[in-house]
Amino acid sequence: MVSLHAQHPFSSKAGAGQAHLRLMATTDLHTHVYPYDYFADKPADTVGLARLATHIASIRAGAVNTMLVDDGDFLQGNPMGDYVAFERGVDKDNPHPIIRAMNQIGFDASTLGNHEFNYGLDFVLRSVAGAAFPILSANLVRTLGDTPLQDETVLPPYVILDRELIDGDGKGHPFRVGLIGFLPPQVMTWDRKNLEGRVCTRDIVEAAAAYVPRMRAEGADLVIALNHSGIGETDHVDGQENASLPLAAIEGVDIVLAGHQHMLFPGPVFDGIPGVDSARGTLNGKPAVMGGFWGSHLGVIDLLLERTDQGWTISDHESSLCPIARRNPDHTVTAVVKSDQRVLDAVAEDHAGTLSYIRRAVGRTKGPLHSYFALVADNPALQLVANAQLWYMRDMLKGSAYETLPVLSAAAPFKAGGLPGPDYFTDIPPGDLAIKHVADLYLYPNTIRAVRVTGAELKGWLERAAGIFNRIEPGAKDQPLIDLAFPSYNFDVIDGVDYQIDASQPSRFCPKGRLVNPGASRIRNLCYMGEPVHDEMEFIVATNNFRAGGGGGFPGASGNTIVFEGPDTNRDVIVRYIAEQGTVDPAADYNWRLAPLPGTSVLFETAPRASAFLGDLVQFDIRTLGQAANGFAQFRISF
């Protein structure tokens, strides 16, 4: 953790013609201003720009030269974002609350992320119009030119800010900082409905290679890439989603601020990747940082700059992270900074409006809805989502050419632990179901879609989802079941068919969706209405715009199989279904299960509270092993 109050060594080291600059970066805020979990409707010490603001104020007070930037994904991600988009609205006289908070803190610049577009392009443009700082995007384009320099970009591709740099002797020097922004080109797939025909994207590295020399020619002393993109392949691949490494290799780029992956850099998660120094915090030798998500960390890059005949150069650097909370040995969480009251006050009215929004009851549930075991057994919470999508889609397809085809429903557990930690699960008690509960069940404001697939594609879809499991050796004991590199939102469970998953077989796909074992088959006994599913059969699958448009790389869902595009979000569908039913009792129908492997046991981690629901699991023998050092509870499953 950066020492916020003591003088940094670069400040004491800097002499005449040398200067210490502290660059601060946020990323993936996802509308988290208050330290509040709107899904659980209670305060949360691990989130919130208001807490980060205290770090920022402390760093500014202790350093002569500072800058603050954001790396994108700020408009969407919790119920405050939904409340603003669907009810409150934004205009020039009523800025978005996250923008108002950022204005209060005093950001120097930001870029767009992919989730900015979940509410539509017009909403983005109205929202960013309220920013008192430039918001940049070099690869989001209205009209493509022959080269990136001839593109008509939606927002300014870059900005050069004139600053005064105070050196170690207290003398001021003119200093020009160039900032350029990028987002993943895949946004055109993920938000196809909102963007297709209106904008397009360029490859990140292609755009940077064109613009950075121009920025240098215009006098930029330092070029900082605000890259809403993670750390992935070392070598450049056209259309690369996580392009921070090849971006850092471009001559003229001094610093890369990464994001999108919701991870921490510097940090051990990126150990062993060529070109990455995960201890020092460099990408291809350039200083870099990635500050987690939801305001969990402030990324800080300290630069010792030296004036030479060629201009200012970086003579030394240090990358680090400032967390807003720590996890204690007893697995409790303690905030390490208080919220900045000025930031809380700036969005207090929106916070109150969000609380009213999330607390509206729309129906009731007879039983609990939780996601503690959603990765290992059929689950009532997912069953409710699947039931609502089936109810909606069957009605929508009446009278259409697809009315007679079997309708299935795909849903995935969005909150299932993983990187966000042991508190990141859905847990809704019996009783009233409010909007906050629906938002907890279905985390993203996706819109509903239907795709037409063959039996072969359906099986491939399930094979892709089954990649979440590690390969299990029959007869071996206590093997880790879940591949932690596989995000739970790609574990689609398809309702309307019955099947088993044989984890003893190799996965057909890698966690990122690349076909690695074409002949592999984990899906067994796939049946519809008691009859085996054949390759040439046809089905309609209700899903969302992200999946239908190709998100996750699932067979049968590549954007060209869509037969229905609904005007409603999946959340709205669930709300309407609950309201019509009045009271729901979404017991799991156990249409899928892990295939038995006699004499075999596996280990599975979930929240400690999951022990209260062990009686719901009837498919296998499961025992509690106690709490692990990471705060999760560990369970043994015996087949």
Side-chain angles (χ1 to χ4, degrees), residues 81-96:
D82 291 348
Y83 162 68
V84 173
F86 299 139
E87 292 208 355
R88 171 192 178 277
V90 293
D91 56 49
K92 62 183 179 63
D93 298 320
N94 192 21
H96 196 290

PDB file of all heavy atoms in Angstrom, residues 81-96:
ATOM      1  N   GLY A  81     -27.353   2.926 -11.139  1.00  0.00           N
ATOM      2  CA  GLY A  81     -27.286   3.110 -12.581  1.00  0.00           C
ATOM      3  C   GLY A  81     -28.617   2.849 -13.252  1.00  0.00           C
ATOM      4  O   GLY A  81     -29.033   3.590 -14.160  1.00  0.00           O
ATOM      5  N   ASP A  82     -29.322   1.813 -12.805  1.00  0.00           N
ATOM      6  CA  ASP A  82     -30.640   1.510 -13.370  1.00  0.00           C
ATOM      7  C   ASP A  82     -31.653   2.603 -13.031  1.00  0.00           C
ATOM      8  O   ASP A  82     -32.462   3.019 -13.874  1.00  0.00           O
ATOM      9  CB  ASP A  82     -31.147   0.170 -12.833  1.00  0.00           C
ATOM     10  CG  ASP A  82     -30.354  -1.002 -13.355  1.00  0.00           C
ATOM     11  OD1 ASP A  82     -29.562  -0.816 -14.298  1.00  0.00           O
ATOM     12  OD2 ASP A  82     -30.506  -2.106 -12.811  1.00  0.00           O
ATOM     13  N   TYR A  83     -31.631   3.041 -11.788  1.00  0.00           N
ATOM     14  CA  TYR A  83     -32.562   4.088 -11.348  1.00  0.00           C
ATOM     15  C   TYR A  83     -32.393   5.345 -12.193  1.00  0.00           C
ATOM     16  O   TYR A  83     -33.379   5.940 -12.665  1.00  0.00           O
ATOM     17  CB  TYR A  83     -32.321   4.391  -9.875  1.00  0.00           C
ATOM     18  CG  TYR A  83     -32.892   5.704  -9.406  1.00  0.00           C
ATOM     19  CD1 TYR A  83     -34.272   5.906  -9.324  1.00  0.00           C
ATOM     20  CD2 TYR A  83     -32.049   6.754  -9.037  1.00  0.00           C
ATOM     21  CE1 TYR A  83     -34.799   7.120  -8.904  1.00  0.00           C
ATOM     22  CE2 TYR A  83     -32.570   7.967  -8.609  1.00  0.00           C
ATOM     23  CZ  TYR A  83     -33.936   8.152  -8.539  1.00  0.00           C
ATOM     24  OH  TYR A  83     -34.451   9.350  -8.126  1.00  0.00           O
ATOM     25  N   VAL A  84     -31.148   5.727 -12.435  1.00  0.00           N
ATOM     26  CA  VAL A  84     -30.896   6.935 -13.219  1.00  0.00           C
ATOM     27  C   VAL A  84     -31.339   6.738 -14.667  1.00  0.00           C
ATOM     28  O   VAL A  84     -31.971   7.600 -15.270  1.00  0.00           O
ATOM     29  CB  VAL A  84     -29.409   7.325 -13.148  1.00  0.00           C
ATOM     30  CG1 VAL A  84     -29.107   8.478 -14.094  1.00  0.00           C
ATOM     31  CG2 VAL A  84     -29.028   7.694 -11.723  1.00  0.00           C
ATOM     32  N   ALA A  85     -31.009   5.566 -15.234  1.00  0.00           N
ATOM     33  CA  ALA A  85     -31.313   5.325 -16.646  1.00  0.00           C
ATOM     34  C   ALA A  85     -32.799   5.144 -16.908  1.00  0.00           C
ATOM     35  O   ALA A  85     -33.322   5.652 -17.905  1.00  0.00           O
ATOM     36  CB  ALA A  85     -30.542   4.099 -17.127  1.00  0.00           C
ATOM     37  N   PHE A  86     -33.489   4.457 -16.015  1.00  0.00           N
ATOM     38  CA  PHE A  86     -34.869   4.075 -16.290  1.00  0.00           C
ATOM     39  C   PHE A  86     -35.904   5.015 -15.675  1.00  0.00           C
ATOM     40  O   PHE A  86     -37.068   5.023 -16.098  1.00  0.00           O
ATOM     41  CB  PHE A  86     -35.125   2.653 -15.803  1.00  0.00           C
ATOM     42  CG  PHE A  86     -34.258   1.620 -16.475  1.00  0.00           C
ATOM     43  CD1 PHE A  86     -33.706   0.578 -15.737  1.00  0.00           C
ATOM     44  CD2 PHE A  86     -33.972   1.691 -17.821  1.00  0.00           C
ATOM     45  CE1 PHE A  86     -32.901  -0.375 -16.344  1.00  0.00           C
ATOM     46  CE2 PHE A  86     -33.175   0.737 -18.439  1.00  0.00           C
ATOM     47  CZ  PHE A  86     -32.630  -0.298 -17.697  1.00  0.00           C
ATOM     48  N   GLU A  87     -35.523   5.790 -14.663  1.00  0.00           N
ATOM     49  CA  GLU A  87     -36.507   6.641 -13.999  1.00  0.00           C
ATOM     50  C   GLU A  87     -36.076   8.103 -13.925  1.00  0.00           C
ATOM     51  O   GLU A  87     -36.798   8.982 -14.366  1.00  0.00           O
ATOM     52  CB  GLU A  87     -36.789   6.116 -12.586  1.00  0.00           C
ATOM     53  CG  GLU A  87     -37.515   4.787 -12.586  1.00  0.00           C
ATOM     54  CD  GLU A  87     -38.365   4.587 -11.342  1.00  0.00           C
ATOM     55  OE1 GLU A  87     -38.318   5.433 -10.430  1.00  0.00           O
ATOM     56  OE2 GLU A  87     -39.090   3.586 -11.295  1.00  0.00           O
ATOM     57  N   ARG A  88     -34.935   8.367 -13.366  1.00  0.00           N
ATOM     58  CA  ARG A  88     -34.522   9.742 -13.099  1.00  0.00           C
ATOM     59  C   ARG A  88     -34.129  10.501 -14.351  1.00  0.00           C
ATOM     60  O   ARG A  88     -34.516  11.637 -14.567  1.00  0.00           O
ATOM     61  CB  ARG A  88     -33.373   9.739 -12.104  1.00  0.00           C
ATOM     62  CG  ARG A  88     -32.682  11.078 -11.874  1.00  0.00           C
ATOM     63  CD  ARG A  88     -31.395  10.810 -11.093  1.00  0.00           C
ATOM     64  NE  ARG A  88     -30.596  11.960 -10.820  1.00  0.00           N
ATOM     65  CZ  ARG A  88     -29.731  12.516 -11.655  1.00  0.00           C
ATOM     66  NH1 ARG A  88     -29.618  12.040 -12.898  1.00  0.00           N
ATOM     67  NH2 ARG A  88     -28.986  13.545 -11.303  1.00  0.00           N
ATOM     68  N   GLY A  89     -33.342   9.844 -15.215  1.00  0.00           N
ATOM     69  CA  GLY A  89     -32.860  10.486 -16.423  1.00  0.00           C
ATOM     70  C   GLY A  89     -31.695  11.432 -16.153  1.00  0.00           C
ATOM     71  O   GLY A  89     -31.349  11.730 -15.005  1.00  0.00           O
ATOM     72  N   VAL A  90     -31.067  11.898 -17.229  1.00  0.00           N
ATOM     73  CA  VAL A  90     -29.968  12.857 -17.120  1.00  0.00           C
ATOM     74  C   VAL A  90     -30.128  13.932 -18.199  1.00  0.00           C
ATOM     75  O   VAL A  90     -30.658  13.680 -19.272  1.00  0.00           O
ATOM     76  CB  VAL A  90     -28.579  12.190 -17.288  1.00  0.00           C
ATOM     77  CG1 VAL A  90     -28.276  11.259 -16.139  1.00  0.00           C
ATOM     78  CG2 VAL A  90     -28.483  11.453 -18.619  1.00  0.00           C
ATOM     79  N   ASP A  91     -29.675  15.129 -17.888  1.00  0.00           N
ATOM     80  CA  ASP A  91     -29.574  16.201 -18.870  1.00  0.00           C
ATOM     81  C   ASP A  91     -28.525  17.171 -18.377  1.00  0.00           C
ATOM     82  O   ASP A  91     -27.915  16.973 -17.317  1.00  0.00           O
ATOM     83  CB  ASP A  91     -30.923  16.895 -19.103  1.00  0.00           C
ATOM     84  CG  ASP A  91     -31.536  17.432 -17.815  1.00  0.00           C
ATOM     85  OD1 ASP A  91     -30.820  18.123 -17.050  1.00  0.00           O
ATOM     86  OD2 ASP A  91     -32.725  17.178 -17.566  1.00  0.00           O
ATOM     87  N   LYS A  92     -28.286  18.242 -19.106  1.00  0.00           N
ATOM     88  CA  LYS A  92     -27.189  19.153 -18.780  1.00  0.00           C
ATOM     89  C   LYS A  92     -27.393  19.839 -17.428  1.00  0.00           C
ATOM     90  O   LYS A  92     -26.425  20.236 -16.776  1.00  0.00           O
ATOM     91  CB  LYS A  92     -27.029  20.197 -19.881  1.00  0.00           C
ATOM     92  CG  LYS A  92     -28.218  21.111 -20.104  1.00  0.00           C
ATOM     93  CD  LYS A  92     -27.967  22.058 -21.271  1.00  0.00           C
ATOM     94  CE  LYS A  92     -29.160  22.972 -21.540  1.00  0.00           C
ATOM     95  NZ  LYS A  92     -29.459  23.876 -20.435  1.00  0.00           N
ATOM     96  N   ASP A  93     -28.636  19.977 -16.994  1.00  0.00           N
ATOM     97  CA  ASP A  93     -28.905  20.613 -15.703  1.00  0.00           C
ATOM     98  C   ASP A  93     -29.020  19.612 -14.563  1.00  0.00           C
ATOM     99  O   ASP A  93     -29.135  20.005 -13.399  1.00  0.00           O
ATOM    100  CB  ASP A  93     -30.205  21.426 -15.787  1.00  0.00           C
ATOM    101  CG  ASP A  93     -30.109  22.538 -16.813  1.00  0.00           C
ATOM    102  OD1 ASP A  93     -29.045  23.173 -16.891  1.00  0.00           O
ATOM    103  OD2 ASP A  93     -31.095  22.741 -17.550  1.00  0.00           O
ATOM    104  N   ASN A  94     -28.989  18.335 -14.899  1.00  0.00           N
ATOM    105  CA  ASN A  94     -29.155  17.287 -13.881  1.00  0.00           C
ATOM    106  C   ASN A  94     -28.173  16.157 -14.184  1.00  0.00           C
ATOM    107  O   ASN A  94     -28.561  15.099 -14.665  1.00  0.00           O
ATOM    108  CB  ASN A  94     -30.602  16.772 -13.910  1.00  0.00           C
ATOM    109  CG  ASN A  94     -30.925  15.905 -12.711  1.00  0.00           C
ATOM    110  OD1 ASN A  94     -30.269  15.965 -11.682  1.00  0.00           O
ATOM    111  ND2 ASN A  94     -31.952  15.069 -12.852  1.00  0.00           N
ATOM    112  N   PRO A  95     -26.887  16.365 -13.924  1.00  0.00           N
ATOM    113  CA  PRO A  95     -25.867  15.385 -14.325  1.00  0.00           C
ATOM    114  C   PRO A  95     -26.051  14.031 -13.655  1.00  0.00           C
ATOM    115  O   PRO A  95     -26.667  13.908 -12.592  1.00  0.00           O
ATOM    116  CB  PRO A  95     -24.557  16.046 -13.860  1.00  0.00           C
ATOM    117  CG  PRO A  95     -24.866  17.486 -13.701  1.00  0.00           C
ATOM    118  CD  PRO A  95     -26.303  17.546 -13.283  1.00  0.00           C
ATOM    119  N   HIS A  96     -25.517  13.036 -14.300  1.00  0.00           N
ATOM    120  CA  HIS A  96     -25.496  11.690 -13.728  1.00  0.00           C
ATOM    121  C   HIS A  96     -24.767  11.743 -12.387  1.00  0.00           C
ATOM    122  O   HIS A  96     -23.755  12.433 -12.240  1.00  0.00           O
ATOM    123  CB  HIS A  96     -24.755  10.749 -14.688  1.00  0.00           C
ATOM    124  CG  HIS A  96     -24.980   9.305 -14.410  1.00  0.00           C
ATOM    125  ND1 HIS A  96     -24.470   8.675 -13.293  1.00  0.00           N
ATOM    126  CD2 HIS A  96     -25.653   8.343 -15.107  1.00  0.00           C
ATOM    127  CE1 HIS A  96     -24.804   7.396 -13.313  1.00  0.00           C
ATOM    128  NE2 HIS A  96     -25.542   7.170 -14.394  1.00  0.00           N
TER     129      HIS A  96
END
